[in-house]
Amino acid sequence: MGNGKKNDIQAPYRAENEDVDIYGLHRQALRESPDPVEGLERPPWWLWVICISLIFWAGFYIGRYGGKFGPEVHLLSEGETVKQASVSKPGESPPVAAVDGAEVYNRVCAACHQQNGQGVPGAFPPLAGSGLIAGDDKLPVKIVLHGLQGPVTVSGTTYNGVMPAWGGQMSDEEVAAALTHARSSWGNSAPEVSAETVKQIREETSDRTTNWTIKELEGE
Ligand code: HEC
């Protein structure tokens, strides 16, 4: 405390001054804020905000750049993603749409037509050896995009079920890849189906809201 103040403090004690300035004394004591207590203070709110933001940012960062913790990431060149790297060989430009037909087939179609394409007797017709999948490519594309119902005869057996439409859930590339896989597996050997064909048929049949019947498809 400065010298000027020191005089002020002592002033009320001067013997000749009977009128002790008690308010002045307290005012001086109260002016000081209490000493901080050390120990269990709550952390300030902004520290929480920073920590939580950091956790979210880190999660995003790992998700975006973590490469799924795969070993491949260490072999990548600048700007390359894991998927491109594992599909393309060195020196080859990465394919535009790297859709794996077998993967799509197993994910979408195999639940009913089975992984080996044999279907389930009495319920789901086989794709192996089916003239419908291996014939003109427009027909299976239409079936996948909009579904099929009613009696259909495959390899001499008649099925009467309902196949749901997949057009809303599969991209042109996925439909093409799944069909190409089915047309070239389990003894089938029909040419591939291109994503352009799927796109074109999707446009042509865009007003379709119900499943096809095989009569409709073969009558065309
Ligand atoms: C929910 C079960 C189910 C799924 C999933 C399914 N289908 Fe079907 N599919 C059927 C049924 C049932 C029929 C027969 C419909 C009928 O009786 O009219 C059929 C018929 C077919 C046919 C014509 C008949 C034949 O055996 O050749 C083709 C082609 C076909 N599906 C391809 C596919 C492809 C490709 C996928 C995957 C994109 C797929 N299906 C997914 C149930 C399914």
Side-chain angles (χ1 to χ4, degrees), residues 105 108-109 111-113 123-127 130 132-133 140 143-144 148-152 154 159-164 166 170 178-179 182:
Y105 177 87
V108 182
C109 321
C112 298
H113 296 288
F124 305 118
L127 299 183
S130 159
L132 295 173
I133 186 104
I143 292 179
V144 173
L148 183 72
Q149 67 178 43
V152 59
V154 181
Y159 297 80
N160 193 352
V162 178
M163 168 165 157
W166 290 99
M170 294 171 77
L179 286 175

Side-chain angles (χ1 to χ4, degrees), residues 168-189:
Q169 291 149 70
M170 294 171 77
S171 68
D172 297 341
E173 288 76 17
E174 286 176 322
V175 174
L179 286 175
T180 298
H181 172 75
R183 280 159 69 90
S184 58
S185 306
W186 325 299
N188 292 347
S189 60

Side-chain angles (χ1 to χ4, degrees), residues 64-65 72-86 88 94:
R64 174 72 182 73
Y65 299 107
E72 303 93 332
V73 292
H74 303 294
L75 308 172
L76 298 182
S77 40
E78 189 78 14
E80 210 179 8
T81 65
V82 173
K83 186 141 197 191
Q84 288 165 346
S86 54
S88 59

Side-chain angles (χ1 to χ4, degrees), residues 96-111:
V96 184
V99 179
D100 178 354
E103 187 272 326
V104 180
Y105 177 87
N106 289 334
R107 178 159 47 85
V108 182
C109 321

Side-chain angles (χ1 to χ4, degrees), residues 4 10 15 22 42 48 56 59 82 105 121 136 150 162 171-172 184 186 189 199 208 217-218:
Q10 283 169 349
I22 201 164
R42 290 162 141 258
W48 285 109
F56 272 96
V82 173
Y105 177 87
D136 177 13
V162 178
S171 68
D172 297 341
S184 58
W186 325 299
S189 60
K199 181 165 186 268
R208 178 102 205 162
L217 289 176
E218 293 193 321

